[in-house]
Amino acid sequence: MARAGYEVVILERKDEEEAGHIACGDALKGADAFPEAIPKSKLEPAFTNTDVDHGRFEIPQEDTVLEIPVPGELAVIDRWEYGRRIIDGAEDRGVEFRYDTVVQNVRQNDDGRVTGVEAIRKGDPVTYEADIVIDAAGSLSVLQDHVDFSDSTFDTNVDYSHFCSAYREIVEVEEPVEWDDALVFKPTERAAGYLWYFPRTDTEINAGLGFQMTEEPMQLVDDLKRDLENRPEFEGAEVEDKLGAALPTRRPYDSAVHPGYMAIGDAAGHVNPTTGGGIAGAAYGGKYAAERAIEALETDEFGEDVLWEYNQKVMDHFGARYAALDVYNILSTAVDVDDLMSLLAAMPGDKLAEALYSGSTDIGLKLKLEALVKSRGHWGTIWNLYKTKRRADELLSHYENYPTSPEGLAGWQDRRDDLMEKVYETTGAEPKY
């Protein structure tokens, strides 16, 4: 937007030094496929490990390790440096940053259009008027608590249980780890969640865990602490940094537009719900929102009809896939964790990777038979997964026919909700939405 000549102001609650320093797993998938507005050359100094090329899934219940290839370019980054690079790039284009600014309310006119925000900056009240407000305030955005969405399509079917808590430590180990070319995952002991160990370098590790907000946080953090204590490579390690955050583990918002307002990134559910990866979704969500904002500014029209193409581009690029992947999250709430781990241990790694990143996969007869033999005793879970996959494919197909205007959304949602009823029936899970 700034490059197109418009005045852009970013409100940041942190101070200038801490801006860009957020809790993150630090794994960046698709490092070679970012919007052109964010040149890769600008980001590369934040890439600390570009040798990672696969996932390493540890399954203690089966005493096995599953090697999972990750398609596309992969990098582990220094998230603070990455944030600084994004900020520097925006400032180079003329974007103004207002640090130490805590947004407290949203302004709307008599027609419901969002016209700005009210905030506290360094202790003083301040009002910002705007033709377009873009909400990048993260999970459970405070802005959405204050906007009256009653006359728009903006998705308000949002609950805290759709989100996950995440906690991570940056740990410096004494000796290089053997798995510095892999992203290491491991299931938590007591709930549907996972631990991760992502090597920024061969001695600097991002160690963390994610778990649904319905779980007790300190109990799960103890799982990470205990695992760190029991891994010999972390003996004598030093903790450099600790941070926590919330992130969506749900389908993208059905609509993230309202007159004068769009939500992007975590504030719109633009995160892969099975892996928690959200950097690329945020980058492209920002690009698509900016394109529609420019169109609105050029035509002086700020209604949903003008902004709607933003929703379409998100769904076409990654939203449909993320919605299909969410079906597997729903399944995980209704199956026994040990059965699920046995199933994963029996699946071919490349097919598992395909399912994790595409939302669908096709396993040939020979591989199906091999998986059945390896997973004897868990065939009920396999049958359940097979039926769930069919439901996910049906849902993916429906999302690929996302409506071309706000008027078509209600009918599209009715059909989608019918498909979701079949998902709940197949998985035995409690309704999520």
Side-chain angles (χ1 to χ4, degrees), residues 46 85 113 180 190 239 275 289:
R85 291 282 164 175
R113 174 184 156 193
D180 63 320
R190 285 165 288 190
V239 177
T275 67

Side-chain angles (χ1 to χ4, degrees), residues 155-176:
D155 195 344
T156 57
N157 184 14
V158 180
D159 185 80
Y160 84 97
S161 63
H162 302 165
F163 294 80
C164 151
S165 292
Y167 169 80
R168 69 99 176 102
E169 298 178 351
I170 304 302
V171 182
E172 183 73 28
V173 298
E174 295 180 346
E175 298 292 335

Side-chain angles (χ1 to χ4, degrees), residues 73-268:
E73 186 173 339
L74 190 65
V76 182
I77 63 175
D78 179 326
R79 185 58 182 79
W80 185 85
E81 178 64 21
Y82 173 88
R84 299 306 308 175
R85 291 282 164 175
I86 292 287
I87 291 169
D88 289 348
E91 287 182 328
D92 288 346
R93 292 295 183 185
V95 174
E96 297 180 37
F97 282 78
R98 296 290 184 268
Y99 299 104
D100 305 293
T101 303
V102 180
V103 174
Q104 295 190 315
N105 205 354
V106 176
R107 297 171 70 94
Q108 291 179 265
N109 64 16
D110 293 340
D111 295 329
R113 174 184 156 193
V114 173
T115 59
V117 298
E118 298 171 359
I120 298 293
R121 185 165 190 250
K122 296 185 176 180
D124 296 324
V126 60
T127 297
Y128 293 90
E129 296 180 354
D131 291 314
I132 291 281
V133 170
I134 295 182
D135 176 3
S139 299
L140 299 167
S141 164
V142 66
L143 279 73
Q144 292 168 28
D145 291 337
H146 296 289
V147 179
D148 179 1
F149 293 120
S150 57
D151 292 327
S152 76
T153 60
F154 193 94
D155 195 344
T156 57
N157 184 14
V158 180
D159 185 80
Y160 84 97
S161 63
H162 302 165
F163 294 80
C164 151
S165 292
Y167 169 80
R168 69 99 176 102
E169 298 178 351
I170 304 302
V171 182
E172 183 73 28
V173 298
E174 295 180 346
E175 298 292 335
V177 296
E178 295 180 355
W179 34 266
D180 63 320
D181 61 346
L183 303 179
V184 179
F185 300 87
K186 184 177 182 179
T188 51
E189 295 176 7
R190 285 165 288 190
Y194 68 87
L195 309 176
W196 72 72
Y197 299 100
F198 294 171
R200 280 187 175 182
T201 69
D202 58 5
T203 58
E204 186 178 62
I205 314 300
N206 181 315
L209 79 162
F211 52 90
Q212 288 301 121
M213 283 191 174
T214 51
E215 302 295 334
E216 289 293 331
M218 292 313 298
Q219 289 186 10
L220 272 297
V221 171
D222 285 345
D223 281 2
L224 175 62
K225 179 180 178 181
R226 186 161 44 254
D227 203 61
L228 283 165
E229 291 173 344
N230 291 331
R231 298 180 80 99
E233 60 264 51
F234 287 94
E235 184 176 353
E238 294 186 3
V239 177
E240 299 178 343
D241 190 53
K242 299 180 180 182
L243 276 178
L247 68 152
T249 46
R250 53 157 291 149
R251 66 194 182 201
Y253 286 16
D254 289 354
S255 170
V257 304
H258 173 91
Y261 178 94
M262 287 177 279
I264 64 174
D266 286 17

Side-chain angles (χ1 to χ4, degrees), residues 263-276:
I264 64 174
D266 286 17
H270 294 169
V271 172
N272 183 320
T274 56
T275 67

